[in-house]
């Protein structure tokens, strides 16, 4: 209505509600069209419309009546034709007396119900009619819309904060990963600094798993297609696989997941119930053939490093085994200050036909999860009725980051189907062949996705134990360099990751460089420090800590590293 | 001659000398042919021919004369026709007066020069004439032949010992790796026990590299073909690559080596001479499209785990950097009791056109290697004149194993070509752009090949620090089980890999099981041990060590593990 007020020639097309607001695609033809600079003018008109508290009301019309109302708008007529073909009800919504639109509703009672300041025009872009590049190019105006001004403000603050923390920008600035045009998009190359963080995170997950009785295994990244035909993945996911024809004309695929390979290690021996649970763990890359257009930063990549694990156990062991995984997930995410919300994704009780595997097993597994949620006193759990996978129920964990965004992170999935497809067995106490159940669980999910979340969660201010450089030694002048080198060597011997900045630059510049790289600590060395055998320590957020003996510095750093703070 | 004596209808075809002996392909038609049971009879005749000291002599003949001599032998006639076509000299060798053969020579003076007992018929097999399955199937008789009986005996002993140590058999017996028909040949799946050894070996290599200033990086297993077109690998090795066409119709390849990817990390920033040498290290799988017929055990696989490293440095840094690598290789192989012989693979001075890169660089690099060999006092070095790669000189290390076999293991390769093809640069002191040199070096080469060598070298008797199970606790009866469990937990807490064998079996059987798995130690627990708070320790080769306190056991094991004995 505001657009039509300022641009009477505008032809509205489609304008749906989306997450955090709405957009509207409008054809301005060759006449004047707005830019972002016109947003204040449009918003002022929107506020005026609100202040008039114009009533919304709607009318059901026939297709012919609708076509007559939109005689001058071929887009709306196309929509009306489609609604007619599909036999759907056609409704027109009026705003006051003069403005109307083809719309399914619903609306508030009047424009006065919209809280002033709860919305904001956001950005403008080009968009093809119905997303098809053969059609006319339209102008898409995006708006943000919330219930209250407070919610809008909070969202805008979060977005601004998120922009500062964009992992693609920080990844470059902190020299963590890089992309090469020769290698291709979606294929990150991890530098020494980025690899250091990856390895430290991975070692941490492994240390938690080792405590829980996991064992590592190793598999190749390819397989004959036979494996996926038997596991059932070929039928479902063939088009997402990178396929290879070998020189011997065999059909191979790159693995998009690890479970069928791990199941082959399980199946390499006749297993006894005494061996169960068997807990296999492996951090390895999987590959999925995504469209290049979908690739950006680390959030979506072709080479995905999963910190994967598969537990082969009896149904009676499900609760304990899922509890062990939960323990690992809780400890891991707790270390970084993420708060977790579990979602119990279970069967839709009204559609039992959607699920594979016997009812008894499902009931046991769902009961195990319920008991576990109770045992964990997780009173914030979400009930995901009908959200189970076809192969089993699961627990998904949602993590809230430092700026309030929520990410789906780890999941614990029960699987009844693959053990059946791959004919896994064990010999029971009675000497009978029985089927084990599989539990899938990646703690970080993928290292790439965790890294992108983690970089944005910390804004690149990694805790000391994960900082590629833990401390920089900053001699003020050349005279202090020899002493600075000796400090560097002493710290290095204690396995502290230390850098010496002996460039011919002023101290101010050196400190700015350390800040730019988000180095947690730096130690300034001048005449006094050389004379006293000390350093003057500063911290990236705490500021100046003071002069201290090198032994005290080592104690401080090693304790902080050990505590993973 | 011996065959003709016993099988007058035999038609000899081709019979070359091979490593450790010879074979002869013979057409016995549908008449009687020998089996391995006939070897003693044939050998007796051979000894008789030797005792007659029949003189060898030869005659040059025309093709027509030769064809007349072999009128009844279509195989020899085919060979004669070919020799004639190629314009080659045709010679006939006589043994005494009655036996002659088409042969290029040379021979000893008489059959009496052959040391009795220096040869032995080895095995019998089928073989197609000229290796073509469309041709007639012949009978191939293999013989072993050495200068002396002592050399033959030593070889036979080595072969028998090697058979006992066959890594394919031990790999299965010790549950280190497995193959799955669904995954395919040449694609080993590593069990927990095998992975444990892989990881421990890899950690060891990394600890040695870390001391030398290496940093780890991480790359994906695929790339756009663009990378290999630019690096030059596509032109040379395209047919050995696993190729992938993506859903977007891009041509990708699985990496057959890591250097071009690592070079992209180098090239992600403008480098300064101050940053050099940059030492990148990564343990990662590479893939090569081998023919399935060539795949067997771990010696030849499709998925090859390289413990790879690339150093980017200036020519003036080559000697020091190669020295660091040599140090790592020496320490690593020394730990396992392999003795190393370096081979200096340098240019053929008569064929300078075979090599890429400037003469000055080559001379510097070869001088650096010569200096290094001198500095290392490696007086057993082999001069590999003309064995340099086209892209640079190298040092190859040959390792002699515990039964005297020699394996080519690590190499240190200088590379002038890839930095040029991939346009790598750094800024010198004078602000000019210069080319770095690359050094390639994998210490284990591939973990698969090292594992196969190492399994055969040790016969599966891995040193304690690499044993998947370091000690088994063997309670004699149920009454000793509770105490055995407490011992197990105590050792586990000290990070000792311990297993408890509480099966309902006699002690003898439990010890046999521990021996079968080549577990280094086992601790027997009976009434006395429970009463005294001790264990009675035995070792797989040292036998019974005696009763000792648990603290002493822990000290003994942890020291032995630390010392990597």
């Amino acid at each position: 209505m505001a657009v039509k007020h300022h641009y009477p020639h505008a032809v509205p097309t489609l304008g749906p509600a989306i997450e955090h607001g709405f957009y509207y695609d409008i054809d301005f033809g060759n006449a004047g069209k707005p830019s972002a600079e016109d947003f204040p003018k449009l918003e002022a008109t929107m506020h005026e419309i609100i202040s008039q508290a114009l009533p919304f009301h709607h009318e059901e019309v026939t297709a012919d009546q609708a076509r007559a109302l939109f005689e001058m708008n071929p887009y709306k007529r196309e929509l009306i034709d489609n609604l007619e073909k599909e036999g759907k009800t056609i409704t027109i919504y009026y705003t006051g007396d003069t403005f109307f639109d083809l719309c399914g509703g619903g609306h508030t009672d009047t424009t006065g119900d919209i809280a002033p300041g709860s919305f904001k025009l956001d950005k403008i872009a080009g968009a093809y009619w119905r997303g098809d590049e053969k059609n006319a190019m339209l102008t898409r105006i995006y708006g943000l819309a919330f219930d209250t001004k407070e919610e809008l403000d909070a969202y805008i603050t979060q977005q601004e904060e998120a922009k500062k923390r964009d992992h693609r920008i920080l990844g470059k600035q902190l020299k963590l990963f890089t992309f090469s045009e020769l290698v291709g998009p979606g294929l990150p190359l991890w530098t020494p600094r980025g690899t250091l963080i990856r390895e430290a995170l991975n070692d941490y997950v492994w240390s938690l798993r080792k405590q829980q009785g996991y064992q590592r295994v190793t598999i190749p990244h390819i397989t004959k297609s036979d494996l996926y035909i038997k596991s059932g993945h070929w039928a479902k996911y063939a088009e997402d696989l990178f396929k290879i024809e070998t020189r011997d004309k065999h059909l191979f695929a790159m693995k998009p997941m690890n479970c069928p390979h791990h199941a082959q290690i399980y199946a390499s021996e006749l297993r006894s119930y005494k061996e169960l649970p068997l807990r296999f763990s492996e951090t390895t890359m999987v590959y999925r053939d995504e469209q290049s257009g979908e690739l950006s930063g680390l959030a979506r990549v072709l080479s995905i490093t999963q910190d994967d694990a598969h537990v082969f156990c009896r149904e009676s062991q499900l609760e304990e085994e899922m509890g062990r995984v939960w323990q690992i997930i809780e400890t891991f995410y707790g270390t970084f200050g993420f708060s977790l919300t579990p979602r119990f994704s279970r069967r839709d009780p009204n559609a039992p036909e959607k699920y594979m595997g016997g009812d008894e097993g499902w009931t046991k597994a769902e009961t195990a999860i319920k008991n576990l949620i109770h045992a964990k006193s997780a009173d914030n759990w979400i009930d995901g009725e009908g959200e189970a996978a076809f192969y089993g129920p699961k627990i998904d964990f949602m993590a809230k980051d430092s700026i309030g965004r929520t990410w789906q992170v780890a999941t614990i999935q029960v699987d009844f189907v693959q053990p059946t497809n791959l004919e896994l067995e064990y010999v029971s106490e009675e000497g009978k062949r029985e089927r084990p159940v599989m539990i899938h669980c990646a703690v970080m999910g993928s290292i790439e996705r965790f890294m992108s979340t983690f970089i944005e969660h910390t804004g690149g201010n990694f805790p000391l134990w994960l900082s590629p450089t833990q401390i920089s030694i900053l001699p003020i002048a050349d005279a202090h360099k020899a002493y600075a080198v000796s400090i560097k060597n002493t710290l290095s011997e204690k396995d502290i990751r230390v850098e010496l900045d002996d460039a011919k630059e002023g101290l101010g510049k050196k400190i700015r460089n350390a800040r730019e790289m988000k180095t947690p600590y730096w130690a300034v060395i001048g005449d006094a420090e050389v004379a006293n055998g000390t350093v003057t320590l500063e911290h990236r957020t705490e500021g100046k800590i003071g002069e201290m003996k090198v032994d005290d510095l080592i104690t401080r750093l090693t304790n902080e590293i050990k505590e993973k703070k």
Side-chain angles (χ1 to χ4, degrees), chain A:
Chain A
M1 192 170 171
V3 166
K4 285 291 283 185
H5 177 75
H6 291 282
Y7 305 87
H9 59 282
V11 180
T13 69
L14 265 174
I18 57 173
E19 201 186 2
H20 309 313
F22 61 86
Y23 68 78
Y24 213 119
D25 287 348
I26 299 168
D27 187 353
F28 291 94
N30 292 323
K33 62 174 132 182
S35 72
E37 285 169 23
D38 299 306
F39 284 173
K41 181 176 77 183
L42 288 168
E43 285 170 345
T45 305
M46 291 164 83
H47 281 113
E48 207 182 299
I49 295 168
I50 288 172
S51 71
Q52 291 167 12
L54 299 174
F56 292 113
H57 68 274
H58 80 282
E59 249 176 42
E60 277 188 33
V61 294
T62 65
D64 285 338
Q65 288 170 323
R67 273 188 288 263
L69 281 168
F70 292 98
E71 201 185 344
M72 305 298 286
N73 188 329
Y75 303 101
K76 298 284 183 190
R77 286 212 312 276
E78 188 179 323
L79 297 175
I80 294 160
D81 291 349
N82 286 341
L83 289 170
E84 184 182 27
K85 244 181 262 168
E86 293 164 15
K88 295 214 174 127
T89 308
I90 299 172
T91 51
I92 305 293
Y93 271 79
Y94 288 83
T95 310
D97 297 325
T98 55
F99 183 80
F100 60 87
D101 202 352
L102 178 72
C103 184
H107 288 63
T108 53
D109 290 338
T110 78
T111 57
D113 295 327
I114 298 168
S118 69
F119 66 91
K120 185 178 183 315
L121 294 183
D122 186 27
K123 60 187 177 187
I124 209 154
Y128 294 106
W129 168 241
R130 314 229 85 174
D132 187 337
E133 59 185 25
K134 282 177 248 145
N135 292 338
M137 170 67 91
L138 309 171
T139 300
R140 177 171 294 179
I141 299 173
Y142 284 95
L144 299 172
F146 289 83
D147 281 347
T148 62
K149 180 177 187 315
E150 290 66 36
E151 282 171 78
L152 174 66
D153 290 349
Y155 179 77
I156 290 170
T157 306
Q158 190 191 64
Q159 287 306 99
E160 280 164 4
E161 191 51 41
K163 212 175 280 176
K164 279 187 244 161
R165 292 160 177 257
D166 186 324
H167 75 272
R168 292 166 297 185
I169 293 163
L170 283 173
K172 203 176 162 69
Q173 177 187 325
L174 303 181
K175 299 185 183 177
L176 302 177
F177 55 88
T178 185
F179 291 92
S180 152
E181 281 186 17
L182 294 172
V183 175
L187 294 169
L189 303 165
W190 294 85
T191 62
R193 292 172 56 92
T195 299
L196 208 143
I197 302 177
R198 285 171 61 102
E199 295 287 341
L201 287 168
N202 190 49
D203 287 349
Y204 183 36
V205 170
W206 169 238
S207 73
L208 298 175
R209 282 191 172 143
K210 195 177 167 196
Q211 284 169 26
Q212 299 291 347
Y214 281 72
Q215 306 181 91
R216 283 180 292 188
V217 293
T218 311
I219 59 173
H221 300 82
I222 56 177
T223 175
K224 278 164 54 183
S225 53
D226 305 38
L227 181 65
Y228 295 140
I229 291 167
K230 181 147 184 164
S231 72
H233 291 98
W234 196 266
K236 284 199 174 283
Y237 307 111
E239 72 167 15
D240 298 323
L241 300 179
F242 282 123
K243 286 172 282 285
I244 299 160
E245 195 189 71
T246 69
R247 64 160 78 197
D248 293 339
K249 305 294 170 200
H250 294 132
L251 182 57
F252 277 50
M254 293 193 77
K255 66 180 165 76
M257 71 272 294
N258 307 306
C259 19
H261 278 88
H262 284 179
Q264 292 309 294
I265 297 177
Y266 178 92
S268 66
E269 297 178 47
L270 179 58
R271 304 291 180 176
S272 150
Y273 71 95
K274 288 184 210 158
E275 291 176 75
L276 302 189
L278 265 176
R279 308 178 188 98
F280 291 165
S281 155
E282 182 174 12
T283 298
T284 172
M285 286 188 191
V286 300
Y287 289 84
R288 290 172 193 171
D289 192 357
E290 309 269 2
Q291 265 145 11
S292 331
E294 297 169 3
L295 308 172
S296 153
L298 299 179
R300 215 169 171 84
V301 288
L302 299 178
S303 55
I304 305 155
T305 314
Q306 290 185 335
D307 60 327
D308 211 0
H310 295 102
V311 179
F312 301 84
C313 68
R314 314 178 85 168
E315 280 172 10
S316 60
Q317 294 166 328
L318 275 173
E319 185 177 336
E320 174 168 353
E321 288 309 309
M322 286 191 282
R324 285 174 186 267
V325 180
W326 190 318
Q327 180 63 50
I328 293 167
I329 291 171
E330 209 168 25
T331 308
F332 182 81
Y333 285 92
T335 302
F336 305 113
F338 286 105
S339 67
L340 292 180
T341 306
R343 185 179 62 207
F344 171 22
S345 295
R346 59 192 180 91
R347 278 175 299 184
D348 179 347
N350 301 317
E353 73 286 356
K354 278 166 52 184
Y355 307 99
M356 284 184 69
D359 182 63
E360 196 194 349
W362 273 85
T363 303
K364 268 192 201 159
E366 291 184 349
T367 306
I369 294 176
K370 255 183 285 182
N371 291 345
L372 192 55
I373 286 173
H374 183 75
K376 285 283 179 186
S377 311
D379 47 16
N380 63 343
W381 68 283
I382 299 165
D383 185 4
E385 186 183 292
E387 294 190 37
F390 73 92
Y391 50 77
K394 56 184 179 159
I395 312 173
D396 300 314
F397 290 88
M398 322 297 291
K400 190 178 254 189
D401 75 10
S402 61
I403 60 169
R405 291 177 302 177
T406 299
W407 309 84
Q408 183 173 328
V409 288
T411 72
I412 312 178
Q413 308 193 355
V414 179
D415 188 345
F416 298 112
V417 172
Q418 277 197 68
T420 304
N421 288 355
L422 294 169
E423 299 173 61
L424 305 185
E425 292 181 332
Y426 66 89
V427 179
S428 73
E429 292 90 333
E430 293 81 30
K432 276 195 259 175
R433 301 291 174 101
E434 303 203 354
R435 276 271 175 266
V437 191
M438 274 175 86
I439 301 172
H440 307 254
C441 172
V443 176
M444 289 187 265
S446 87
I447 296 189
E448 288 74 20
R449 215 170 53 153
F450 181 78
M451 281 289 281
S452 71
T453 305
F454 185 59
I455 292 169
E456 303 200 357
H457 174 60
T458 57
N461 287 307
F462 303 123
L464 188 67
W465 70 282
L466 286 176
S467 291
T469 304
Q470 294 172 320
I471 182 167
S472 276
I473 310 294
L474 312 182
I476 294 175
D478 269 359
H480 313 120
K481 197 173 144 179
Y483 177 69
V485 169
S486 79
I487 302 284
K488 186 197 162 190
N489 292 342
T490 306
L491 296 183
S492 243
E493 276 163 27
K494 298 288 175 187
D495 244 339
I496 292 166
R497 296 188 292 267
V498 54
E499 272 185 11
L500 171 65
D501 185 351
D502 60 356
K504 293 203 182 310
E505 285 165 341
L507 181 62
K509 178 79 167 82
K510 289 183 185 186
I511 291 177
R512 279 196 301 280
N513 287 346
R515 281 194 185 285
E516 168 89 2
M517 293 307 283
K518 307 202 184 253
T519 305
Y521 287 102
W522 50 91
V524 175
I525 292 180
D527 290 340
E529 287 81 5
V530 173
N532 303 337
T534 58
V535 302
T536 293
L537 190 66
E538 299 188 21
H539 184 268
R540 68 182 165 203
T541 52
E542 292 168 35
K544 191 160 174 171
I545 291 162
E547 194 174 342
M548 60 174 68
K549 292 276 175 201
V550 177
D551 280 350
D552 295 333
L553 173 65
I554 290 171
T555 305
R556 182 187 178 109
L557 296 181
T558 45
N559 283 343
E560 197 178 326
I561 289 166
K562 208 184 297 165
E563 289 164 16
K564 292 193 165 52
K565 277 204 286 201

